[in-house]
Amino acid sequence: MDTSFLLPFSLMLLITLSIFFTLTSSATLTTDQDALLAFKNAITVDTNGLLRNSWLTNTSICDWNGVSCGIKHHRVTALNLSNFALHGKLTRHLGNLTFLQTLDVSSNNFIGALPAELSKLRRLKQVNATSNNLSGEIPRGILTNMSLLEDIDLMYNKLSGELPSDICNNTPKLKRLFLGVNQIYGNIPRNIYKCSKMEELGLSRNMFNGNIPTQVGNLSMLTFLALSYNGLQGNTPSSIFNVSRLEFIYLRGNKLYGRIPTNLDSLLNLQGLYLSGNNLTGEIPKGIGHLSCLTHLDLAVNSLTGMIWLLL
Ligand SMILES: *[C@@H]1O[C@H](CO)[C@@H](O)[C@H](O)[C@H]1NC(C)=O
Ligand SMILES: *[C@@H]1O[C@H](CO)[C@@H](O)[C@H](O)[C@H]1NC(C)=O
Ligand SMILES: *[C@@H]1O[C@H](CO)[C@@H](O)[C@H](O)[C@H]1NC(C)=O
Ligand SMILES: *[C@@H]1O[C@H](CO)[C@@H](O)[C@H](O)[C@H]1NC(C)=O
Ligand SMILES: *[C@@H]1O[C@H](CO)[C@@H](O)[C@H](O)[C@H]1NC(C)=O
Ligand SMILES: *[C@@H]1O[C@H](CO)[C@@H](O)[C@H](O)[C@H]1NC(C)=O
Ligand SMILES: *[C@@H]1O[C@H](CO)[C@@H](O)[C@H](O)[C@H]1NC(C)=O
Ligand SMILES: *[C@@H]1O[C@H](CO)[C@@H](O)[C@H](O)[C@H]1NC(C)=O
Ligand SMILES: *[C@@H]1O[C@H](CO)[C@@H](O)[C@H](O)[C@H]1NC(C)=O
């Protein structure tokens, strides 16, 4: 059989295919570049020129300051602009960086809302926007439906609104949720227990009210719980004192009343217990003196009685 015609044909196929692949990969690269250029466009002040002098279209986006790409596909996997002295808004186009795993825009002066489009980023693991001037609500999708997300740090902003009652419905990997020093109000949702991998929960210095949900005590991986300086009321749920991994419990400056729970036997890792500035009454539980890791105990400004029995 004469197969000589096959050679030019397969060669042609190869060329067609490679053109096709070049086109598709540059098309997706353009999507990332467009998103980053839109991001740059929304920056009003670039104090140190870190974007102005680096985010130029005659170089690859993968070489731009703060941008990291995947080795194989050259798509943007991380954007780390921490402490870049940028002012401006966070563009909705961030939601087009399909391969993004890490977004760190901490310690800048971003204003406006966190774009809801961020919840389109199915590969996102870390979001850090701490120390900015962001306002508005936290997009619901970020708190309810991001299956790979592990870290959310939005401390020191001006975020407001309530946390969604279906928080944690599909954020099974969330380990750290830091929302301290914002203006978030309403209840701490009971659904929080569905974030079963949670290790650190920081909600201090907001305007949360209502009771501390007993479901916080279902977070068995929790090592750090900070709910200080809110308007939380009611009793301190004894379920919290059953979480044996807890190292720090901060509940200062709320309106908690009733007795301090006495089930202290599980708190073998507790290093700090901060309950000052509430309206706690009754006797200080005897077991406190038996907590062998405890180095910080703050019970001031309550109406407690009794003594602390140290087991030496
Ligand atoms: C890219 O363009 C800028 C100004 O437009 C120029 O200063 C720089 O040298 C160019 N870089 C390269 C690698 O061509
Ligand atoms: C971003 O960069 C800063 C400074 O280089 C670094 O300290 C920080 O850990 C980085 N963030 C992430 C999420 O890797
Ligand atoms: C990127 O996102 C914006 C805003 O969310 C949208 O309007 C635009 O069509 C997207 N662009 C591409 C190239 O996907
Ligand atoms: C977020 O960034 C700040 C620095 O800007 C850093 O101190 C903090 O640890 C980061 N948060 C997380 C959860 O990594
Ligand atoms: C937020 O804005 C206020 C005034 O508008 C400014 O003083 C402050 O430095 C800003 N915060 C950050 C982290 O940029
Ligand atoms: C969760 O996100 C997935 C993927 O983006 C989406 O298909 C689904 O509709 C979302 N579910 C809810 C309840 O929002
Ligand atoms: C939460 O913890 C309580 C008390 O340990 C237990 O009875 C309950 O079944 C737990 N709830 C879930 C959803 O795991
Ligand atoms: C705390 O744990 C003890 C012992 O395991 C159990 O009897 C008690 O029901 C638990 N309390 C709460 C509120 O989960
Ligand atoms: C503390 O509780 C007492 C008695 O219930 C009440 O009279 C008082 O107003 C409360 N104080 C604060 C600061 O909530």
Side-chain angles (χ1 to χ4, degrees):
M1 196 175 109
D2 181 6
T3 57
S4 61
F5 75 95
L6 279 176
L7 186 66
F9 175 74
S10 56
L11 205 64
M12 226 168 69
L13 188 71
L14 200 69
I15 292 168
T16 317
L17 275 178
S18 66
I19 289 173
F20 175 74
F21 281 122
T22 315
L23 278 179
T24 48
S25 79
S26 70
T28 48
L29 264 184
T30 309
T31 305
D32 283 2
Q33 178 174 302
D34 286 349
L36 293 176
L37 289 176
F39 183 92
K40 185 183 169 193
N41 232 354
I43 300 296
T44 51
V45 180
D46 178 1
T47 317
N48 303 323
L50 288 170
L51 304 195
R52 193 168 56 249
N53 299 324
S54 158
W55 289 29
L56 301 167
T57 51
N58 59 0
T59 57
S60 160
I61 54 170
C62 302
D63 295 328
W64 292 2
N65 278 339
V67 178
S68 307
C69 294
I71 294 166
K72 283 190 198 150
H73 50 60
H74 298 289
R75 301 293 305 270
V76 176
T77 53
L79 195 56
N80 185 347
L81 311 176
S82 177
N83 219 353
F84 267 37
L86 303 172
H87 297 216
K89 290 189 178 175
L90 294 171
T91 178
R92 296 190 299 132
H93 287 73
L94 281 174
N96 294 345
L97 296 173
T98 315
F99 284 77
L100 200 67
Q101 297 175 10
T102 300
L103 176 64
D104 188 344
V105 294
S106 61
S107 305
N108 285 288
N109 194 350
F110 285 106
I111 59 168
L114 269 176
E117 287 76 6
L118 287 180
S119 59
K120 292 199 306 191
L121 301 173
R122 305 322 301 173
R123 294 175 177 83
L124 205 57
K125 286 188 189 162
Q126 286 179 296
V127 179
N128 194 340
T130 191
S131 304
N132 281 285
N133 265 321
L134 297 169
S135 57
E137 294 191 12
I138 304 167
R140 183 167 159 270
I142 292 180
L143 298 169
T144 60
N145 187 15
M146 298 213 70
S147 55
L148 298 181
L149 198 58
E150 293 175 11
D151 291 326
I152 304 178
D153 188 347
L154 304 175
M155 283 180 77
Y156 302 106
N157 279 287
K158 294 174 179 158
L159 297 164
S160 59
E162 298 190 41
L163 297 183
S165 59
D166 58 347
I167 194 169
C168 300
N169 255 5
N170 184 26
T171 52
K173 300 210 162 166
L174 196 59
K175 285 186 189 160
R176 278 168 283 273
L177 179 60
F178 295 121
L179 305 178
V181 201
N182 279 289
Q183 296 159 16
I184 304 167
Y185 49 83
N187 292 337
I188 299 172
R190 289 193 290 272
N191 222 40
I192 197 90
Y193 78 88
K194 285 194 180 162
C195 283
S196 59
K197 294 286 191 318
M198 190 81 82
E199 294 172 12
E200 301 179 63
L201 178 62
L203 306 178
S204 294
R205 294 185 192 270
N206 279 284
M207 301 182 304
F208 287 107
N209 55 31
N211 293 354
I212 301 175
T214 58
Q215 287 81 355
V216 170
N218 290 73
L219 300 174
S220 61
M221 305 297 280
L222 208 60
T223 62
F224 175 93
L225 175 67
L227 307 176
S228 293
Y229 305 109
N230 281 288
L232 297 166
Q233 296 166 16
N235 289 298
T236 312
S238 58
S239 61
I240 294 177
F241 284 15
N242 269 3
V243 181
S244 59
R245 285 173 206 256
L246 271 170
E247 294 169 11
F248 295 94
I249 301 175
Y250 293 87
L251 302 175
R252 288 199 270 222
N254 281 292
K255 298 178 193 160
L256 300 172
Y257 52 76
R259 302 172 73 95
I260 300 175
T262 52
N263 55 321
L264 298 164
D265 296 344
S266 302
L267 294 173
L268 298 171
N269 296 299
L270 196 67
Q271 297 172 40
L273 180 61
Y274 303 84
L275 303 175
S276 61
N278 281 289
N279 209 353
L280 300 170
T281 51
E283 261 192 76
I284 298 169
K286 296 224 172 9
I288 280 186
H290 299 187
L291 299 173
S292 57
C293 290
L294 196 68
T295 53
H296 292 79
L297 176 64
D298 180 6
L299 304 177
V301 198
N302 281 294
S303 306
L304 296 164
T305 60
M307 292 185 268
I308 295 168
W309 297 81
L310 290 178
L311 186 72
L312 295 172

